[in-house]
């Protein structure tokens, strides 16, 4: 019980030039949680992720990773990251699923070492965990957006991180495959014990998968477990969230309050 | 022809060199093509031309430099050019391709100055521009062997880093591998391979041997290792066919090798179309 939270953010504020993007954020991700971090575009979600990952420097407040202050944190291979696919990847690249997942071990293996039989097993296990074992020898470019995103998750978990951070992972995923995509994430969380931090602008569809919710829009408007979140009514949500919230899930008692 | 190879040292040199560059040029070419750096190879080859022209000029003009093999000066220029490209790419962050025309025209400009100083073209320069079956010396061959050892060993040892850098540069940087140093080593390797290949295919056509076999390989390969394997196979076929026809028809091998590569590429594209239609 006394394990420190995987991620703990204390009094963090951040500004680009004069614009305040984040204001006094307190957030903790307990071990084993599946936290949905929700907020509209421009709410500071990506900035917060960059601060956690050390891609931006924390100037005000503190970030702790596994109980260690971020500044002295060294075990970055305990943290897996999956970005919005469209960012950086060239779909015409002639690489097989196996090769892409294997590239997730590059840092862990270190210079000059080549993957041995232990690593080969880890690669196969990671591909199985995301349900893509039938595609091992296919070229990554032949897969659909959702399948590619699963492969990127396999690449992130092949080095066996404790936490996986996902930034809007369903951007390129077909709407009819989104449900099974989140089921796969729930499997990683419940069966493999990986803590998940999922950034999205759409809480509706994940509401029956996540264990915790945080609503961000410059300020942190709500942070708590899913049970607490569900006791809030639509008006509370709109107030908390500033803009109103996209709540379109499978239980139709909530109606969408889109703005 | 096989008898001729047994008889003449220059033919042995040419064929051994051809076999070697048929491996290393497409090997590096596979990384160059997928990283969309094909034009950098072109720019560097033109800088190499400037180095060769400078070497030819100095060795003709100054007796104390008569020993100077233009391959060395070409190599030095090529490496300096690669450093300049990297520098320019950081100076013009949002116009990274601008580095290429700057370096490319700079290379030709300096080259032309040295060529004019040396009183125009001669057969030596011609062989550097378009390759030659007869111009490869034993010394060249040894130097090319050394370069290829360095290239193959480096690619073997840094394979997974080079792969990650090519596939997803951002992820490579974020995951904490020394992406900058790896990229730097890679560009130096490209400069070395250009210097090694120009004796056979010529400076102006080096980039073709690095890109055309890869273009064909990508049409049919599953995965990156297979892409490399097919690229090397096609590169070897092109070099051999090109050298044999250059020898019998008395042509510059640069031309025949490039035409052979293009034929392979067209065949692969046609075969792919055909199998898809069938």
């Amino acid at each position: 019980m006394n394990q420190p939270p995987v991620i703990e953010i204390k009094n963090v504020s951040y500004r680009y030039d004069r614009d305040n993007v984040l204001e006094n954020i307190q957030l903790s991700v307990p071990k084993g949680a599946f936290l949905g971090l929700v907020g509209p575009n421009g709410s500071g979600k990506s900035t917060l992720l960059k601060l956690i990952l050390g891609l931006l420097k924390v100037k005000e407040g503190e970030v702790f990773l596994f109980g260690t202050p971020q500044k002295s944190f060294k075990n970055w291979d305990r943290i897996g990251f999956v970005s919005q696919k469209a960012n950086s990847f060239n779909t015409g690249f002639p690489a097989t699923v196996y090769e892409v997942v294997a590239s997730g071990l590059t840092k862990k293996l270190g210079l000059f070492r080549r993957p041995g039989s232990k690593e080969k097993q880890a690669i196969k296990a990671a591909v199985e965990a995301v349900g893509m074992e039938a595609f091992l020898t296919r070229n990554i470019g032949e897969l659909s957006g959702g399948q590619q995103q699963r492969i990127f998750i396999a690449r992130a978990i092949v080095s066996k991180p404790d936490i996986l951070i996902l930034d809007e992972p369903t951007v390129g995923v077909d709407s009819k495959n989104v449900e099974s995509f989140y089921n796969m994430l729930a499997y990683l969380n419940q069966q493999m014990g990986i803590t998940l931090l999922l950034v999205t602008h759409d809480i509706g569809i994940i509401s029956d998968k996540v264990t915790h919710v945080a609503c961000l829009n410059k300020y942190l408007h709500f942070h708590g477990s899913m049970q607490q979140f569900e006791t809030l009514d639509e008006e509370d949500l709109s107030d908390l969230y500033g803009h109103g919230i996209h709540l379109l899930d499978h239980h139709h008692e909530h109606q969408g309050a889109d703005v | 022809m096989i008898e001729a190879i047994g008889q003449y040292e220059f033919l042995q040199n040419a064929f051994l060199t051809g076999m070697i560059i048929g491996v290393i040029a497409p090997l590096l070419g596979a990384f160059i093509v997928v990283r969309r750096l094909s034009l950098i190879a072109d720019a560097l080859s033109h800088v190499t031309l400037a180095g060769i022209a400078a070497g030819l000029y100095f060795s003709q003009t100054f007796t104390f430099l008569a020993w100077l093999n233009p391959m060395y000066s070409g190599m030095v220029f090529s490496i300096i050019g690669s450093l300049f490209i990297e520098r320019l790419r950081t100076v013009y962050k949002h116009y990274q391709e601008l580095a290429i025309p700057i370096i490319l025209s700079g290379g030709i400009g300096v080259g032309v100055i040295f060529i004019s100083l040396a009183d125009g073209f001669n057969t030596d320069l011609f062989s550097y521009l378009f390759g030659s079956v007869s111009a490869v010396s034993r010394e060249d061959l040894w130097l090319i062997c050394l370069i290829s050892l360095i290239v193959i060993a480096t690619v073997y040892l840094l394979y997974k880093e080079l792969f990650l850098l090519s596939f997803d540069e951002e992820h490579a940087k974020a995951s904490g591998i020394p992406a900058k140093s790896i990229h730097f080593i890679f560009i130096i390797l490209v400069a070395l391979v250009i210097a090694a290949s120009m004796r056979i295919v010529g400076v102006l056509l080096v980039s073709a041997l690095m890109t055309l076999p890869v273009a064909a390989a990508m049409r049919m390969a599953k995965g990156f290792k297979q892409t490399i394997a097919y690229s090397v196979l096609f590169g070897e076929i092109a070099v051999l066919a090109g050298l044999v026809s250059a020898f019998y028809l008395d042509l510059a091998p640069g031309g025949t090798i490039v035409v052979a590569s293009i034929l392979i590429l067209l065949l692969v594209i046609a075969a792919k179309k055909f199998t898809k239609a069938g």
Side-chain angles (χ1 to χ4, degrees):
Chain A
M1 272 317 282
N2 278 332
Q3 269 177 329
V6 178
I7 296 174
E8 188 159 31
I9 295 169
K10 285 185 176 164
N11 309 324
V12 166
S13 300
Y14 195 83
R15 67 201 87 233
Y16 292 107
D17 298 326
R18 258 173 289 149
D19 289 340
N20 273 21
V21 188
L22 295 170
E23 199 68 71
N24 199 25
I25 304 295
Q26 322 272 352
L27 180 74
S28 79
V29 184
K31 190 171 161 44
F34 183 169
L35 178 109
L37 177 64
V38 201
N41 290 331
S43 57
K45 289 172 303 190
S46 309
T47 305
L48 189 59
L49 278 196
K50 284 181 184 158
L51 288 169
I52 293 171
L53 292 167
L55 301 173
L56 285 175
K57 218 172 175 173
V58 181
K59 289 171 193 155
E60 271 175 67
E62 282 176 294
V63 173
F64 293 90
L65 302 168
F66 302 97
T68 312
Q70 192 210 43
K71 285 181 197 94
S72 45
F73 185 73
K74 294 279 183 328
N75 301 319
W76 287 101
D77 58 339
R78 294 183 73 179
I79 300 176
F81 177 57
V82 177
S83 62
Q84 294 178 25
K85 173 207 85 157
N87 276 346
S88 57
F89 140 79
N90 154 17
T91 43
F93 197 101
T96 60
V97 164
Y98 182 91
E99 289 176 318
V100 172
V101 176
S103 77
L105 289 166
T106 305
K107 176 68 184 170
K108 197 168 194 174
L109 278 169
L111 282 176
F112 310 135
R113 274 193 57 208
R114 302 172 78 78
S117 62
K118 211 175 93 193
E119 283 77 19
K120 282 175 186 157
Q121 264 175 356
I123 294 165
K124 293 216 171 91
V127 176
E128 273 167 29
V130 297
M132 291 294 288
E133 60 273 25
F135 296 85
L136 265 178
T137 57
R138 294 278 286 277
N139 273 359
I140 184 89
E142 297 168 17
L143 307 184
S144 73
Q147 292 172 326
Q148 286 174 356
Q149 199 56 284
R150 283 171 184 247
I151 300 308
F152 288 114
I153 288 171
R155 176 177 73 172
I157 61 173
V158 70
S159 57
K160 303 200 169 71
D162 296 283
I163 180 170
L164 187 58
I165 299 176
L166 303 119
D167 186 6
E168 307 257 10
T170 52
V171 162
V173 180
D174 227 294
S175 57
K176 62 177 192 288
N177 294 322
V178 167
E179 172 89 35
S180 76
F181 185 83
Y182 285 122
N183 285 336
M184 182 265 300
L185 288 184
Y187 172 85
L188 296 182
N189 177 238
Q190 287 155 19
Q191 305 301 316
M192 299 184 66
I194 302 174
T195 307
L196 295 180
L197 168 56
L198 171 69
V199 173
T200 176
H201 58 272
D202 185 4
I203 182 68
I205 195 142
I206 60 164
S207 58
D208 57 347
K209 304 284 190 300
V210 297
T211 59
H212 294 71
V213 180
C215 298
L216 183 74
N217 196 356
K218 190 158 126 182
Y219 302 91
L220 198 62
H221 292 277
F222 173 83
H223 178 31
S225 71
M226 199 58 213
Q227 286 94 327
Q228 290 169 300
F229 186 73
E230 275 175 341
T231 61
L232 302 171
D233 64 28
E234 206 66 20
E235 251 171 74
D236 288 333
L237 274 178
S238 284
D239 288 349
L240 280 171
Y241 204 54
H243 288 254
I245 183 163
H246 192 67
L247 241 186
L248 263 180
D249 66 357
H250 330 287
H251 330 290
H252 286 279
E253 59 264 28
H254 308 290
Q255 270 306 316
D258 245 327
V259 177
Chain B
M1 176 155 182
I2 293 174
E3 289 162 44
I5 290 183
Q7 263 170 11
Y8 299 110
E9 193 190 277
F10 78 88
L11 275 183
Q12 293 166 9
N13 294 345
F15 272 87
L16 287 173
T17 307
M19 303 300 296
I20 293 171
I21 63 165
V23 173
I24 57 173
L27 169 67
L28 271 199
F31 291 97
I32 291 175
V33 169
V34 296
R35 295 188 64 190
R36 307 209 164 113
L37 297 176
S38 309
L39 289 171
I40 284 194
D42 242 328
L44 284 182
S45 64
H46 287 80
V47 175
T48 313
L49 170 66
I52 285 163
L56 283 173
Y57 171 69
F58 286 128
S59 62
Q60 272 171 21
T61 315
F62 305 106
T63 40
F64 68 94
L65 284 174
W67 55 271
L68 182 68
N69 184 337
M71 250 183 91
Y72 294 121
S73 51
M75 217 158 76
V76 170
F77 270 57
S78 179
I79 288 172
I80 294 173
S82 64
L83 302 182
F84 264 115
I85 288 184
E86 285 317 299
R87 188 80 207 112
L88 283 171
R89 267 154 64 95
T90 49
V91 172
Y92 291 102
K93 258 205 164 113
H94 301 286
Y95 296 96
Q96 293 204 344
E97 78 285 354
L98 195 53
I100 290 161
I102 293 174
I103 295 292
L104 193 143
S105 50
I108 297 188
V110 175
V112 166
I113 288 176
F114 280 114
I115 291 168
S116 334
L117 281 175
D119 257 342
F121 274 88
N122 53 32
T123 44
D124 241 9
L125 186 64
F126 189 83
S127 79
Y128 280 107
L129 285 175
F130 306 112
S132 163
V133 184
S134 57
V136 188
S137 68
R138 253 309 127 95
E139 191 195 342
D140 293 341
L141 177 60
W142 286 124
L143 182 61
I144 288 161
C145 281
L146 180 69
I147 290 176
S148 65
L149 268 182
I150 294 172
V151 170
I152 291 170
T154 313
V155 171
Y156 180 81
L157 289 173
L158 295 179
Y159 176 79
K160 64 185 189 318
E161 282 79 12
L162 286 169
F163 175 85
L164 184 58
L165 196 62
S166 312
F167 180 69
D168 191 343
E169 191 163 346
E170 221 167 87
H171 186 83
K173 284 177 185 155
S175 72
I177 68 161
K180 264 198 174 156
S181 322
I182 303 271
H183 174 70
F184 180 70
I185 292 171
F186 176 73
I187 289 290
I188 300 272
L189 290 186
V190 173
L192 287 176
V193 169
I194 288 171
S197 309
M198 71 194 171
R199 272 321 224 158
I200 295 290
V201 276
V203 163
L204 295 182
L205 298 168
V206 167
S207 65
L209 190 58
M210 297 179 119
T211 51
L212 291 179
V214 184
M218 288 208 316
R219 300 294 302 174
M220 52 190 297
K222 282 251 174 284
F224 194 61
K225 280 193 175 150
Q226 245 186 51
T227 303
I228 292 179
Y230 280 124
S231 303
V232 169
L233 175 72
F234 293 151
E236 283 294 322
I237 295 173
V239 168
L240 280 182
L243 279 178
V244 170
S245 47
F247 176 72
Y248 279 114
L249 305 171
D250 195 20
L251 298 168
T256 53
I257 289 171
V258 169
V259 169
S261 312
I262 289 178
L263 285 179
I264 292 170
L265 179 62
L266 292 177
L267 273 175
V268 168
I269 292 174
K272 194 81 189 174
K273 272 240 165 84
F274 201 68
T275 49
K276 258 193 191 149

